[in-house]
Amino acid sequence: MNHKPSIMIKRRLLFFLTVITIGIIGLIFRISYIQIIQGDYLKNLAWEQQTRDRLIAPQRGSIYDRNGIPLAQNASVATVSVIHNQIQDKEEVIEALVDVLDLEYEEVKQKVERVVALERIKSRVDKEVADKLREKNIPGIVVDEDSKRYYPHRNLASHVLGFVGKDNQGIIGIEVKYDEYLRGIPGKIVTESDAKGRDISGGIQKRIEPLPGNHLVTSIDIVVQQYAEQALEKVLQGKEAKKGSILIMNPKTGEILAMANKPDFDLNEPFRIQDPTLQVNWNQLSQKEQMDALNQMWRNFSINDTYEPGSTFKIVTSTAGLEEKVVTLEDTFSCPGYRIVADRRIRCHKTGGHGTETFLEGVLNSCNPVFMDVADRLGAEAFYKYMKLFGFDEKTGIDIPGEAVGIMHDIKKVGPVELATMSFGQSFQITPLQLIRAGAAIVNGGYLVTPHIGRELVNEEGNIIKIFEYDNKKQIISKETSDIMRSILESVVSEGTGHRTYLPGYKIGGKTATSEKLPRSNHKYIASFIGFAPADDPQVIALILIDEPVGIYYGGTVAAPVVKEIFENILPYLGIEPKYTDQELTLEGVGDVDIPNVLQKSLSEVRQEARELGLTLEVLGEGNIVKEQFPLPGEKVSKGTKLIIYIE
Ligand SMILES: [Zn+2]
């Protein structure tokens, strides 16, 4: 064999070498061509892409309450940039920017000197400030209109509304959920320029107008929301509680009138932490710790978090027992203060026992053994059937992102002890929203509603372009059971543990709860109350949770009076007239003040008038002239009633 390369192989090698050399030479030519010959052209192409299409942000749609009062709006702002190639006098540009925008000289100089097509100097500049720059008309400075999200009521319904990021996209709340409808479509500014990117149109720019987003009308009633928030804040302060929530819903439609969580945050400064302790140490926290703290502040705990409902859940156990006909109102039970279940002794809250009592009395007493017996008669399977029917194992479908679902034992693991504790609202967790939805079904004739905030979309011209529809038709219990439950729960308020909600002129139904938080050894509580009115035809249902009240912590003492206070104010406001009994009419102070007409009056006049009549005053809006009032002129109210005015 011949081991030297053959002529053939040598020729092949030479061939490849030649090809590679030609290839490299070709590449060098190509690169030079691109750099030398095409350089200007390519530079200009990039230039065009960046500057010819200056985007104009669309107006994001507003968010309104149910009566058209704005909850989220836009303020006109501007974005100021420089176009490097158009600058004629660099110093003039820098000085104007420093002066008008109140910026540091060095910072502006760096940006102005940067050789890029378009350099953003400052965004979200107030319109008046931006107009000053426009008037100067300095070559190289461009001022584009933009819009800034603005929440006129700051903290109001902050967890519900949510807020937007730098580019106006929703971050949390309904700002996210309805982003696709609210955001609109950006427009463009096209500037004709020559090969070097210089403006050749003499400043004439072609505009393609942005399409504004649609407006969202919500079910929130700002007056009801305000009452709920104030009442909640007051009780949390008074009880030095950690946090709290109030939900107020129309039980027939699922429309949320108010959803309040405290502590809350300012929607106009959503990244500013509100907790005073955290504020002090803010800069020492890691980025992750800061983000966690912000996320915690933004949590809508009435839908994002679960809790053990405790005794308010007895309304579900009662309903299931009545619907399955394992119990009647007259059935008798006996409570020695505990029940022995399997090998466990499970206590009633009244250690001495309630003795012999009917089922109705058992509900009024909120007696645990009665509910353990009812659950025992139902059995785990039927009990779980109702857990499912009431939707505790699923999301309610509310139009706010991040909803949690109930956490409960696998039915296979439910023995007598688990069932007994579940009967009075322990050993499983649900969200407050799930509970109020179940409560609504119990009192509205048996229909499971879809809690929701969004009602309709309105376009720029004010025409309704879409009405959101929700499923409210699924009947899960009979009307008969619902009727009985309403009257039982009315008795709870008129005679039982909820008597602190009694309100002259109105029939109110409800149930209190005092849940001991886990671990039980900490002795921390959640006081709560679920209530509805009028009891014979419920128009509103409310749920309040007070988390870790200090001192007295019973739901009936702490939570029920708050709902009473809210109902006292919102029922007349919602057009639900009081019907006093003869006995109630003889009580002092009922219906002895005539509401005056304060429309078009000044704030100071109204303040004085309210003081003289013994009315408390609630001022909404900003300005000095009254545009709306509630109650309406001529209505008869009692002293101390709140007069709400909207000023502009
Ligand atoms: Zn008892």
Side-chain angles (χ1 to χ4, degrees):
M1 290 288 280
N2 186 352
H3 291 281
K4 286 181 181 172
S6 68
I7 298 286
M8 199 59 178
I9 288 170
K10 277 182 184 166
R11 275 190 184 165
R12 259 187 213 166
L13 275 173
L14 192 66
F15 174 70
F16 280 122
L17 210 67
T18 314
V19 169
I20 288 165
T21 311
I22 291 171
I24 288 169
I25 292 168
L27 258 176
I28 290 166
F29 268 108
R30 178 74 192 149
I31 290 164
S32 312
Y33 173 72
I34 291 170
Q35 282 188 334
I36 300 159
I37 316 287
Q38 282 197 312
D40 267 0
Y41 170 73
L42 286 177
K43 205 193 275 176
N44 199 43
L45 199 68
W47 163 260
E48 278 183 13
Q49 281 162 353
Q50 289 170 55
T51 62
R52 284 202 165 178
D53 293 355
R54 264 156 57 209
L55 294 181
I56 314 171
Q59 281 280 328
R60 189 172 173 88
S62 299
I63 300 175
Y64 295 105
D65 94 330
R66 61 190 304 119
N67 297 312
I69 295 174
L71 302 173
Q73 285 174 295
N74 300 299
S76 265
V77 289
T79 299
V80 176
S81 316
V82 288
I83 294 182
H84 190 79
N85 284 23
Q86 292 181 358
I87 295 173
Q88 287 168 9
D89 182 340
K90 194 178 79 183
E91 275 309 310
E92 187 190 15
V93 167
I94 298 172
E95 269 163 35
L97 292 172
V98 167
D99 180 36
V100 179
L101 300 179
D102 196 21
L103 297 170
E104 291 297 317
Y105 182 89
E106 275 308 312
E107 180 196 348
V108 174
K109 183 167 180 280
Q110 268 182 19
K111 285 185 175 177
V112 170
E113 285 176 346
R114 209 167 283 163
V115 187
V116 291
L118 185 76
E119 176 74 17
R120 183 185 283 195
I121 304 294
K122 193 173 178 186
S123 54
R124 301 189 162 214
V125 177
D126 285 342
K127 196 177 172 297
E128 306 82 72
V129 177
D131 284 344
K132 278 187 209 161
L133 275 178
R134 279 200 184 97
E135 280 160 23
K136 288 183 188 278
N137 201 16
I138 299 168
I141 298 181
V142 285
V143 181
D144 290 330
E145 62 268 55
D146 202 342
S147 69
K148 181 172 76 173
R149 202 56 159 172
Y150 171 66
Y151 301 91
H153 311 285
R154 307 185 75 93
N155 291 47
L156 188 93
S158 51
H159 297 96
V160 177
L161 295 174
F163 54 90
V164 298
K166 273 210 179 81
D167 296 317
N168 265 343
Q169 83 285 14
I171 306 259
I172 63 161
I174 55 177
E175 287 277 26
V176 177
K177 187 70 186 183
Y178 291 97
D179 193 55
E180 60 173 313
Y181 303 113
L182 293 167
R183 67 179 172 223
I185 300 167
K188 283 182 201 177
I189 294 177
V190 181
T191 309
E192 289 201 42
S193 47
D194 67 8
K196 286 186 177 159
R198 285 177 302 225
D199 187 351
I200 55 164
S201 59
I204 297 166
Q205 296 169 330
K206 197 172 140 212
R207 282 175 66 98
I208 300 166
E209 290 300 327
L211 284 177
N214 291 306
H215 305 303
L216 176 70
V217 179
T218 66
S219 60
I220 296 290
D221 187 311
I222 190 172
V223 174
V224 179
Q225 179 76 29
Q226 203 117 15
Y227 273 133
E229 294 201 6
Q230 283 173 357
L232 184 60
E233 201 139 75
K234 201 169 87 185
V235 69
L236 293 184
Q237 269 178 20
K239 295 305 299 172
E240 296 169 57
K242 197 170 124 191
K243 59 184 186 192
S245 298
I246 293 180
L247 296 173
I248 301 176
M249 186 171 88
N250 177 330
K252 295 177 179 178
T253 61
E255 284 187 351
I256 303 277
L257 297 171
M259 181 180 268
N261 295 291
K262 301 270 173 189
D264 55 13
F265 59 97
D266 184 344
L267 287 171
N268 292 326
E269 296 174 274
F271 288 86
R272 204 166 73 86
I273 200 79
Q274 300 287 321
D275 183 321
T277 333
L278 283 172
Q279 260 173 15
V280 173
N281 304 317
W282 193 243
N283 292 329
Q284 274 104 59
L285 299 183
S286 71
Q287 211 166 5
K288 187 184 174 297
E289 285 168 330
Q290 290 186 344
M291 209 53 229
D292 288 348
L294 288 171
N295 278 318
Q296 191 59 34
M297 182 176 79
W298 297 334
R299 273 185 96 75
N300 183 341
F301 12 91
S302 53
I303 68 160
N304 296 151
D305 291 343
T306 57
Y307 79 119
E308 272 191 332
S311 297
T312 46
F313 188 78
K314 288 171 181 166
I315 65 174
V316 176
T317 307
S318 304
T319 304
L322 290 167
E323 182 76 4
E324 289 293 305
K325 302 197 191 319
V326 300
V327 68
T328 66
L329 289 183
E330 296 78 31
D331 277 5
T332 54
F333 295 80
S334 96
C335 166
Y338 60 89
R339 214 28 122 241
I340 302 286
V341 180
D343 58 344
R344 287 265 302 274
R345 184 186 163 106
I346 304 176
R347 285 174 38 218
C348 183
H349 62 88
K350 189 174 180 186
T351 30
H354 287 102
T356 303
E357 58 197 331
T358 63
F359 176 62
L360 176 61
E361 287 165 339
V363 181
L364 301 194
N365 292 332
S366 199
C367 173
N368 289 349
V370 171
F371 293 93
M372 293 190 238
D373 290 358
V374 171
D376 184 52
R377 292 180 194 177
L378 280 166
E381 207 165 303
F383 191 87
Y384 266 65
K385 183 177 103 185
Y386 285 91
M387 293 298 278
K388 266 192 172 341
L389 278 175
F390 280 106
F392 292 118
D393 64 338
E394 61 182 19
K395 293 184 180 184
T396 66
I398 192 168
D399 47 348
I400 300 178
E403 190 182 4
V405 292
I407 305 162
M408 58 192 91
H409 299 290
D410 188 315
I411 187 167
K412 289 183 210 105
K413 290 179 185 147
V414 176
V417 173
E418 288 75 19
L419 187 60
T421 51
M422 286 180 85
S423 78
F424 52 87
Q426 284 185 6
S427 74
F428 66 96
Q429 299 207 349
I430 55 176
T431 67
L433 186 69
Q434 284 181 312
L435 182 66
I436 197 172
R437 180 204 200 194
I442 290 169
V443 302
N444 73 7
Y447 297 90
L448 196 66
V449 297
T450 306
H452 60 271
I453 308 276
R455 291 179 84 191
E456 59 198 32
L457 291 177
V458 174
N459 66 10
E460 199 60 3
E461 290 76 43
N463 302 315
I464 296 172
I465 55 162
K466 186 181 175 77
I467 296 175
F468 295 104
E469 298 200 6
Y470 301 92
D471 183 11
N472 294 331
K473 295 203 171 61
K474 188 181 170 200
Q475 190 168 15
I476 54 169
I477 55 158
S478 66
K479 184 179 175 299
E480 293 71 39
T481 300
S482 175
D483 290 346
I484 298 171
M485 283 307 298
R486 279 204 310 274
S487 79
I488 295 178
L489 296 173
E490 193 194 336
S491 302
V492 171
V493 167
S494 55
E495 305 161 35
T497 50
H499 65 272
R500 285 188 176 80
T501 328
Y502 171 73
L503 189 62
Y506 291 102
K507 288 179 175 163
I508 293 172
K511 183 76 193 77
T512 62
T514 310
S515 342
E516 193 167 10
K517 290 174 77 172
L518 295 168
R520 311 244 188 256
S521 54
N522 283 357
H523 301 295
K524 296 243 162 92
Y525 299 87
I526 295 178
S528 63
F529 180 78
I530 184 166
F532 56 95
D536 45 6
D537 181 24
Q539 309 289 318
V540 282
I541 184 164
L543 173 63
I544 175 170
L545 271 78
I546 302 161
D547 198 343
E548 298 187 12
V550 171
I552 297 169
Y553 53 79
Y554 296 112
T557 315
V558 178
V562 182
V563 171
K564 174 193 166 169
E565 190 190 326
I566 292 171
F567 278 179
E568 189 170 15
N569 286 301
I570 71 167
L571 294 178
Y573 166 75
L574 294 170
I576 303 161
E577 297 292 331
K579 291 176 197 143
Y580 298 106
T581 60
D582 288 346
Q583 193 199 353
E584 284 171 346
L585 278 174
T586 59
L587 291 172
E588 220 181 322
V590 174
D592 56 1
V593 178
D594 281 323
I595 292 283
N597 187 344
V598 296
L599 293 173
Q600 304 303 329
K601 290 190 178 173
S602 76
L603 183 56
S604 55
E605 280 177 274
V606 181
R607 276 198 203 286
Q608 193 182 340
E609 215 163 329
R611 203 163 36 233
E612 285 166 2
L613 291 168
L615 300 170
T616 53
L617 192 65
E618 166 82 45
V619 184
L620 300 177
E622 273 171 45
N624 194 40
I625 300 297
V626 179
K627 295 291 173 192
E628 281 181 56
Q629 74 170 88
F630 189 84
L632 299 174
E635 270 193 57
K636 288 194 185 306
V637 297
S638 49
K639 276 198 173 170
T641 296
K642 205 175 264 186
L643 172 63
I644 308 160
I645 55 171
Y646 187 79
I647 52 170
E648 263 176 29

